[in-house]
Amino acid sequence: MIFSRKYSYTSSSTEEDLKSRLVGKHMNVHNLDFEVSEKDRMLKIIPHAEQDTNIRTLPITHVEFSKSKEGKTSIVINSKMRKIDAGGPMLIMVFVSFLIIASVILLIFGQGKYMTYTYTLGGIGLGIFIIFWARMERGYFDYVRKIRDYIKKQAV
């Protein structure tokens, strides 16, 4: 999916040490509480947005540990959008895709007759996409980056 992110790196700490540093802890990102819990040998970082009245797109992060060579621990961080939040961004991406596909079809099959519509549809689609992606970078992807940085800091 376009909104999923995966990061991996290694740490010299053991798996048990990393879990003890992370499990049960709370982190604050943009005044929103995230809790770290353990489930099925994996850590889940889930936002507590029940009391939040703002509309936000928030990630759910899974952290997996495995032993690598030389006694180091391999850490894999997977972040994906909550299912409840995925509808709006996907709808915007479908709408932008239709606008850009329509402009390409008009460019190819319009034989120069509909260049005004071609540029208008393409420009609107590109403009909406740029605004949308900039807002996602300041919101959702910023949450993902800060959670990843928190885990890296705890793993050192």
Side-chain angles (χ1 to χ4, degrees):
M1 193 163 146
I2 191 169
F3 303 113
S4 297
R5 294 292 182 259
K6 182 177 183 176
Y7 305 101
S8 60
Y9 56 94
T10 58
S11 174
S12 58
S13 301
T14 64
E15 180 178 345
E16 293 79 24
D17 184 39
L18 290 171
K19 284 184 180 179
S20 69
R21 289 185 205 172
L22 293 170
V23 173
K25 303 288 191 230
H26 289 263
M27 70 180 83
N28 231 355
V29 179
H30 297 296
N31 297 324
L32 189 65
D33 183 45
F34 286 81
E35 182 181 2
V36 182
S37 61
E38 185 175 10
K39 184 178 181 184
D40 300 330
R41 295 189 36 90
M42 161 183 9
L43 299 183
K44 286 182 130 181
I45 302 174
I46 301 171
H48 289 285
E50 296 85 17
Q51 309 301 330
D52 195 21
T53 58
N54 297 331
I55 298 173
R56 298 181 188 189
T57 304
L58 300 170
I60 292 179
T61 305
H62 296 137
V63 182
E64 298 177 37
F65 301 104
S66 63
K67 296 208 186 242
S68 64
K69 297 177 184 174
E70 302 162 4
K72 295 187 176 185
T73 304
S74 176
I75 303 170
V76 178
I77 303 170
N78 290 312
S79 294
K80 63 180 179 177
M81 197 174 291
R82 296 186 309 170
K83 289 181 182 180
I84 194 168
D85 295 336
M90 289 307 292
L91 187 63
I92 291 172
M93 291 302 294
V94 168
F95 180 69
V96 166
S97 298
F98 282 145
L99 286 174
I100 292 175
I101 289 169
S103 70
V104 169
I105 288 172
L106 282 174
L107 180 67
I108 293 171
F109 297 112
Q111 299 173 349
K113 297 177 188 175
Y114 306 109
M115 292 309 282
T116 304
Y117 299 116
T118 301
Y119 293 138
T120 303
L121 288 175
I124 291 171
L126 191 60
I128 291 171
F129 179 75
I130 289 170
I131 292 168
F132 168 72
W133 202 259
R135 291 197 53 161
M136 289 295 285
E137 283 292 329
R138 286 184 307 189
Y140 172 76
F141 291 120
D142 193 38
Y143 285 114
V144 171
R145 280 190 297 272
K146 289 189 178 181
I147 290 169
R148 179 196 65 203
D149 293 342
Y150 175 80
I151 294 169
K152 275 186 171 182
K153 187 173 84 173
Q154 294 298 320
V156 172

